[in-house]
Amino acid sequence: MTSTSLSDTAPRTELTVRSLILGVVITLLFTAANVFFGLKAGLTFATSIPAAVISMALLRNFKDSTIQENNIVQTVASSAGTLSSIIFVLPGLVMIGWWTGFPYWESFAICALGGILGVMYSIPLRRALVTNSDLPYPEGVACAEVLKVGSGGDTSTASGVEESRYGLLAVVWGSVVAAAFSLIVATRIFGSNVGAYFRLGGDRGGVTGFDFTLSMALLAVGHLVGLWVGVAMGVGALIAWGWAVPHYSALAATAGPAADLGQQTWATYVRFIGAGTIGVAAIWTLAKLVKPVASGLASAMAASRVRKAGQAGSLPRQEQDIPIGVVGMISVACFIPIAFLLGHFALGSGLGEHMWKLVIGGLLYVVVMSFLVSAVCGYMAGLIGSSNSPLSGIGILVVIGAALLLVFGIKPLLAPGNEKGLVAFALFVTAVVFAVATIANNNLQDLKTGQLVDATPSKQQWALVVGVLAGAAIIPPILDLLNQAYGFTGAPGAVPGRALAAPQAGLISALAQGVILGNIDWSLIRIGAYIGAGLIVVDMVLRRTTKSAHLSPLAVGLGIYLPTSATLMVVVGAIIGWLYDRRAERSAKPESTKQMGVLLASGMIVGEGLIGVAIAAIVAFSGEDFPLGLVGDGFAGPAVWIGGAAFVAVVFVLYRWAERVSAKAAAA
């Protein structure tokens, strides 16, 4: 593989209009898909490598395209794709009944202002945590390697060019096939849901069951998260439906359909057990990172102290950030509209007489907490990767901190009955800080990729801002559309079995209510916490006694918290991905073959996500549950068998095709 040598000479093309346009187009597609499946499955997928492959395959038709220009495309797309993690907080305002939808400009401002602050706050940390650091940055390094072998110019190889071409085909075919399957499911000719619920003893005994969804995107999510995360989610589902649902439904001793009792028990009791498991696991993960994060911050401060006056002007191109004065001005420019947003929200939530206290206190909390989470998330991304970073733990800490400050500072001054406004305000502040956290969790990863491909940091940083604005523009209407079509679990009027789970938003809103309103059953949270503590011990033992086996407590918590319709296919996908990777190990170029599987899986998510958003629009505007239905309920039985057979056949063909094209690319 050809390495890239650093040079002060600027590349022929880097931050170009076409790179920004292509990055924004990819952003719109990937962000819509990420929002849909983040709400459905509680997981999002990394967009950097698929975006880089698409960019290389398209821009290689231009003679003056460079690796740095392709890097700008993936930078724009990855920042917006990461910003979609705001769905882990923002739907909470709908879940508590405060919002009935997502007001565009407020939602846009939260995403845009928080995202831009995330970019600005991470810039001072780049030199210490990227340039002068031995942090591994797993996703950033992997993306750089893909760019090196597939971009035009001296950094490319013949097989790399073929790999980028076939990689684009993998994304396209994965998208087309997954979209087509979902469209046929919408006609009801293919069935996609296989469920069964039954009692374990008599008419009033406990119940259990399962709900299995034929979804290529969920299968692809399982491939991307890997075998052991998939196994952990399966363990969580087993805890939920093998013990918790039967136990608590038996205590209820209620007659009636087993499916209704099972779903009610899961929603009323089991979800909160899962929330306790997720909370403890996330806090434990953060606690393990206290020492390395503190060390990283110390290095950052040391680096800033040793910089000489006037040094920035003589820095080589590869070390030129956006000037710190500009960073400061942009940050201050963000604080002003954030203060306005906080004041506007306070007035609208019945807290007007305490507006200035809320604005000043909320702004200080945003400024200070945002900087802390930027440093923490930036370091975590370098240490364990953006995809593995426990963002939910950040959300837990931020919302608990905000809620406690409101309880001690504002609640004693309120008349009884206004507490719900405090819950909404706590979620609103958390959403701003979380937008900062999502971007800071991604930025340094992108800047590491840039360092390895000889990019100019300042141009990448401006590209990150563009990506944030593009993502902020598309996220609110997608959220509003999905809310109208499906709703969110736990929200007023949400239909069980149809509503999107939005697990992290449910957890964070439940914690805000628990702290401020005191209406949460903490005994269930404690049981989940005990389960989480036990899982932490099991995970530590596995990691010390085996080469690769582990049991992620966070993933187990998700398995408890999510409905089986969102978890079981992820488990299947994790196993299929593991089998594919094992076969890839025997190929001529194992890593390239594995990467082809990743691109195929990414395409499946994008295709089904986009068609899911399109169908949601048709459902919302038509007012019908099955506006594309061609057959009635009487065809449901045959549809399941037909859909199941088609699903298995298509998945098998797609993965065999990925193996074959990988072999062709390797032979080029």
Side-chain angles (χ1 to χ4, degrees):
M1 184 177 295
T2 306
S3 62
T4 305
S5 59
L6 295 179
S7 168
D8 285 351
T9 303
R12 298 187 306 277
T13 53
E14 187 168 2
L15 185 62
T16 62
V17 172
R18 72 187 179 204
S19 68
L20 293 177
I21 292 174
L22 181 55
V24 168
V25 170
I26 296 173
T27 284
L28 300 180
L29 300 177
F30 282 16
T31 301
N34 245 345
V35 168
F36 181 77
F37 277 97
L39 292 170
K40 183 175 182 177
L43 299 165
T44 56
F45 72 105
T47 58
S48 292
I49 291 177
V53 169
I54 293 172
S55 174
M56 291 184 297
L58 296 178
L59 292 185
R60 67 188 180 90
N61 297 311
F62 296 89
K63 293 182 179 180
D64 60 341
S65 68
T66 63
I67 189 173
Q68 291 83 11
E69 187 179 22
N70 287 316
N71 180 55
I72 290 293
V73 175
Q74 73 83 17
T75 296
V76 173
S78 69
S79 62
T82 302
L83 187 62
S84 62
S85 294
I86 192 67
I87 61 173
F88 294 166
V89 179
L90 210 54
L93 288 164
V94 174
M95 289 176 164
I96 67 169
W98 194 259
W99 281 356
T100 56
F102 295 88
Y104 183 82
W105 289 112
E106 283 184 73
S107 303
F108 170 83
I110 290 171
C111 296
L113 295 171
I116 291 172
L117 274 181
V119 176
M120 296 301 116
Y121 278 1
S122 61
I123 289 172
L125 299 175
R126 184 192 64 83
R127 187 167 287 103
L129 298 185
V130 177
T131 305
N132 301 323
S133 169
D134 58 357
L135 291 171
Y137 287 99
E139 286 121 327
V141 172
C143 188
E145 293 304 311
V146 170
L147 285 168
K148 286 178 183 179
V149 299
S151 294
D154 295 337
T155 58
S156 66
T157 65
S159 63
V161 172
E162 283 299 295
E163 284 176 22
S164 68
R165 185 170 73 86
Y166 283 121
L168 175 61
L169 283 176
V171 174
V172 170
W173 276 114
S175 300
V176 169
V177 172
F181 187 87
S182 295
L183 190 60
I184 298 173
V185 167
T187 68
R188 308 186 76 185
I189 294 174
F190 285 179
S192 64
N193 292 92
V194 183
Y197 296 87
F198 46 89
R199 290 186 179 272
L200 298 176
D203 291 339
R204 295 181 181 273
V207 303
T208 189
F210 66 90
D211 191 357
F212 194 84
T213 302
L214 298 175
S215 164
M216 289 192 183
L218 289 175
L219 182 143
V221 167
H223 183 140
L224 296 179
V225 300
L227 176 65
W228 291 108
V229 171
V231 168
M233 291 184 70
V235 170
L238 187 61
I239 291 172
W241 291 90
W243 165 72
V245 171
H247 172 72
Y248 286 102
S249 60
L251 292 179
T254 303
D260 292 347
L261 180 57
Q263 289 295 330
Q264 182 182 359
T265 303
W266 170 79
T268 306
Y269 298 97
V270 181
R271 287 175 62 239
F272 292 99
I273 294 174
T277 304
I278 292 172
V280 166
I283 292 170
W284 167 252
T285 305
L286 290 173
K288 290 192 297 182
L289 296 173
V290 168
K291 184 176 179 180
V293 167
S295 175
L297 287 175
S299 299
M301 289 185 288
S304 65
R305 287 196 297 268
V306 300
R307 292 187 65 187
K308 298 178 181 178
Q311 182 185 12
S314 61
L315 286 174
R317 176 181 59 81
Q318 294 82 4
E319 289 299 320
Q320 293 176 7
D321 296 297
I322 294 175
I324 196 65
V326 176
V327 170
M329 288 190 293
I330 293 175
S331 299
V332 172
C334 289
F335 298 152
I336 296 172
I338 288 174
F340 173 80
L341 276 176
L342 295 174
H344 175 73
F345 195 87
L347 288 172
S349 56
L351 305 172
E353 60 180 303
H354 307 292
M355 184 186 73
W356 286 109
K357 290 182 181 178
L358 290 168
V359 169
I360 295 172
L363 185 61
L364 287 174
Y365 189 76
V366 167
V367 171
V368 174
M369 189 62 75
S370 293
F371 181 77
L372 291 177
V373 300
S374 294
V376 170
C377 287
Y379 194 89
M380 288 193 302
L383 189 66
I384 59 177
S386 302
S387 300
N388 297 318
S389 184
L391 272 177
S392 53
I394 295 293
I396 288 170
L397 295 180
V398 172
V399 77
I400 289 176
L404 286 174
L405 289 174
L406 290 171
V407 166
F408 291 114
I410 303 296
K411 187 177 179 180
L413 307 176
L414 291 180
N418 287 339
E419 293 86 357
K420 193 173 181 180
L422 288 183
V423 176
F425 192 83
L427 290 174
F428 193 83
V429 171
T430 301
V432 177
V433 178
F434 200 81
V436 179
T438 61
I439 291 300
N441 189 52
N442 169 77
N443 285 4
L444 295 181
Q445 202 81 241
D446 284 329
L447 292 172
K448 181 64 177 182
T449 300
Q451 180 201 22
L452 296 174
V453 300
D454 196 19
T456 308
S458 60
K459 293 182 178 180
Q460 242 189 309
Q461 289 152 5
W462 287 119
L464 286 165
V465 172
V466 172
V468 164
L469 293 174
I474 192 64
I475 288 172
I478 297 298
L479 280 172
D480 209 37
L481 181 63
L482 295 175
N483 180 47
Q484 290 182 47
Y486 304 113
F488 307 121
T489 299
V495 180
R498 180 180 174 186
L500 298 171
Q504 290 88 345
L507 168 61
I508 288 173
S509 60
L511 287 170
Q513 289 177 317
V515 173
I516 294 175
L517 301 177
N519 64 352
I520 194 170
D521 188 344
W522 288 104
S523 66
L524 296 172
I525 299 290
R526 283 196 297 272
I527 291 171
Y530 296 147
I531 292 173
L535 291 167
I536 289 169
V537 174
V538 172
D539 185 48
M540 292 173 63
V541 171
L542 285 174
R543 290 178 185 273
R544 291 181 180 179
T545 57
T546 65
K547 292 182 179 180
S548 60
H550 60 276
L551 194 68
S552 167
L554 270 171
V556 176
L558 273 178
I560 298 172
Y561 192 89
L562 285 168
T564 52
S565 59
T567 55
L568 296 183
M569 183 53 78
V570 173
V571 178
V572 172
I575 295 171
I576 289 175
W578 173 70
L579 292 172
Y580 176 85
D581 287 348
R582 287 194 65 183
R583 287 177 61 89
E585 291 289 350
R586 300 193 293 270
S587 66
K589 295 183 70 174
E591 292 306 316
S592 296
T593 305
K594 290 179 183 178
Q595 194 60 53
M596 196 67 69
V598 168
L599 295 170
L600 179 67
S602 299
M604 291 180 190
I605 296 173
V606 172
E608 189 171 326
L610 292 178
I611 205 70
V613 172
I615 293 172
I618 298 173
V619 170
F621 293 126
S622 70
E624 300 178 12
D625 288 342
F626 304 103
L628 302 179
L630 298 178
V631 295
D633 294 339
F635 195 70
V640 169
W641 288 101
I642 296 171
F647 185 87
V648 172
V650 168
V651 168
F652 178 79
V653 170
L654 279 176
Y655 275 100
R656 287 301 302 269
W657 175 83
E659 289 181 335
R660 289 198 300 271
V661 296
S662 297
K664 289 181 181 179

